[in-house]
Amino acid sequence: MMWAIREDRLHGELLSYGGKTLVHDSRVELEFLLTDNVRIVLCPSSLRPEDCLELRFHPNYAHHTFPLQREAYR
């Protein structure tokens, strides 16, 4: 099951990078990492895998090791 990040506003857009929708396989990890005004939602069934970018490949998250070890963030 994959999760996407949506702007937390009415009809908010799915967040993307380089034209690809950001996705991750753990809702809990997304909620831990992202504290801005976003909502974590199930990926729409219409979203094709080739149109997605896993969060771990985003340059701002490349320094994280997945799965996350919360002890490393204290």
Side-chain angles (χ1 to χ4, degrees):
M1 185 177 316
M2 295 300 277
W3 300 90
I5 308 156
R6 183 181 299 277
E7 296 172 314
D8 190 19
R9 61 186 177 93
L10 188 60
H11 307 296
E13 298 286 325
L14 294 176
L15 299 186
S16 63
Y17 179 79
K20 295 191 178 251
T21 301
L22 292 172
V23 298
H24 190 57
D25 64 353
S26 172
R27 180 184 182 123
V28 172
E29 288 183 350
L30 283 175
E31 290 172 343
F32 179 76
L33 288 172
L34 304 173
T35 58
D36 292 336
N37 294 327
V38 296
R39 291 185 334 189
I40 309 304
V41 297
L42 275 173
C43 284
S45 59
S46 61
L47 193 59
R48 301 178 313 169
E50 58 268 21
D51 295 331
C52 298
L53 176 69
E54 290 188 42
L55 187 68
R56 63 188 171 129
F57 297 122
H58 187 288
N60 291 349
Y61 293 91
H63 64 284
H64 294 279
T65 302
F66 294 95
L68 294 178
Q69 301 296 320
R70 289 189 181 209
E71 305 83 47
Y73 294 88
R74 294 181 188 226

